[in-house]
């Protein structure tokens, strides 16, 4: 669970910090490359190229299953303390109901974080944090740092960072 949460967090941070679509695609490609490298490494370990002990651990991982358990009473899959495993032996996953709550909590946190950054970008809060004097000049934040030089006041001024660098040769 911790590894999945860290992947979700890293993806969230890379999306939020992307300056443009090319930067976002670059970051997503890097994450995909690392993920595929991890998969290739696991398959090499499983085939025994990284040693016999590592191959055995890889097989243990393959053979580990999260149990879906049914109630003895009516065969349903609802929470109960008298569940029996469907196939073979399973670990005791008494916290199964908490995993769903954890997933919902992570989704809520990510959605809330995403909304915070979207609202900050739309309102210009992040631009004006970087250029606080530019806010006093009543500049439209959507024009600042958009890749095009607005060669007029207040954008092409020191207070607005010369259109956040767009007007710097």
């Amino acid at each position: 669970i911790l590894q999945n949460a860290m992947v979700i967090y890293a993806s969230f941070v890379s999306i939020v910090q992307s300056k443009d679509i090319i930067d976002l695609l670059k970051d997503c490609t890097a994450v995909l490359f690392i993920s595929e490298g991890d998969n290739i490494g696991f398959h090499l370990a499983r085939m025994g190229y990284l040693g016999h002990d590592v191959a055995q651990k890889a097989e243990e991982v393959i053979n580990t299953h999260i149990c879906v358990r049914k109630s003895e009473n009516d065969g349903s899959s609802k929470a109960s303390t008298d569940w029996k495993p469907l196939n073979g032996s399973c670990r005791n996953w008494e916290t199964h109901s908490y995993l769903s709550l954890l997933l919902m909590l992570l989704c809520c946190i990510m959605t809330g974080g995403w909304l915070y950054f979207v609202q900050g970008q739309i309102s210009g809060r992040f631009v004006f944090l970087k250029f606080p004097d530019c806010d006093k000049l009543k500049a439209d934040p959507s024009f600042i740092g958009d890749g095009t030089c607005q060669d007029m006041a207040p954008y092409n001024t020191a207070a607005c960072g010369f259109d956040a660098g767009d007007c710097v040769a």
Side-chain angles (χ1 to χ4, degrees), residues 10-167:
S11 300
F12 175 74
V13 168
S14 68
I15 290 170
V16 168
Q17 291 185 347
S18 297
K19 296 176 184 141
D20 55 18
I21 191 70
I22 300 298
D23 197 29
L24 179 62
L25 289 173
K26 176 187 62 89
D27 291 341
C28 288
T29 303
V31 169
L32 179 66
F33 182 76
I34 291 169
S35 175
E36 285 303 313
D38 180 59
N39 290 341
I40 290 169
F42 181 78
H43 288 294
L44 289 173
R46 188 171 176 213
M47 290 187 293
Y49 288 110
L50 303 177
H52 181 68
D53 293 339
V54 176
Q56 284 180 333
K57 291 292 182 183
E59 284 301 320
E60 287 178 22
V61 169
I62 292 292
N63 295 326
T64 301
H65 301 284
I66 296 176
C67 297
V68 177
R69 300 172 185 224
K70 288 190 176 184
S71 175
E72 288 181 355
N73 301 335
D74 58 0
S76 67
S77 294
K78 57 185 175 183
S80 173
T81 55
D82 59 348
W83 283 1
K84 298 271 181 175
L86 287 175
N87 326 357
S89 63
C90 295
R91 294 182 182 177
N92 189 5
W93 292 97
E94 294 175 354
T95 60
H96 179 66
S97 60
Y98 296 112
L99 295 177
S100 298
L101 291 174
L102 180 63
L103 178 63
M104 289 185 348
L105 177 66
L106 285 173
C107 288
C108 289
I109 290 171
M110 285 185 57
T111 303
W114 178 77
L115 289 173
Y116 170 78
F117 284 104
V118 166
Q119 193 276 334
Q121 289 174 343
I122 291 172
S123 70
R125 181 177 60 230
F126 299 130
V127 171
F128 295 136
L129 283 174
K130 189 171 184 178
F131 305 107
D133 294 332
C134 193
D135 188 24
K136 298 173 188 166
L137 300 174
K138 304 295 182 209
D140 184 356
S142 64
F143 291 125
I144 299 172
D146 64 351
T148 305
C149 175
Q150 273 68 34
D151 196 21
M152 60 189 152
Y155 305 103
N156 194 10
T157 62
C160 291
F162 301 100
D163 199 7
D166 290 344
C167 295

